[in-house]
Amino acid sequence: MSPDEIEWIMRQSTWSLEVEGQHPDAQTMEWCRQMLADEISLEKYLDLVIRRAKE
């Protein structure tokens, strides 16, 4: 996936979450970007987000 495609997906995802009243933080967005760029797996992304939510 190209950087432009990742940026577009990130903007669309953020907009969708904000419509639902949620506001993703910078760290969560960075993990999402890493997942979309195949730098981390979906499983790793979910693990990070779930662990963070439990803090």
Side-chain angles (χ1 to χ4, degrees):
M1 190 174 304
S2 75
D4 288 340
E5 291 172 313
I6 290 171
E7 183 63 31
W8 185 85
I9 290 168
M10 298 290 293
R11 283 195 311 268
Q12 295 298 315
S13 300
T14 300
W15 177 82
S16 180
L17 288 168
E18 288 174 351
V19 166
E20 297 295 324
Q22 299 178 27
H23 303 281
D25 62 25
Q27 182 60 67
T28 301
M29 295 302 291
E30 176 58 20
W31 290 331
C32 183
R33 187 203 61 74
Q34 290 174 349
M35 179 191 63
L36 292 171
D38 289 327
E39 295 171 11
I40 63 173
S41 68
L42 173 60
E43 292 79 13
K44 179 66 174 178
Y45 169 78
L46 293 173
D47 180 56
L48 292 165
V49 170
I50 291 167
R51 276 195 282 141
R52 184 169 183 150
K54 291 180 179 179
E55 292 178 349

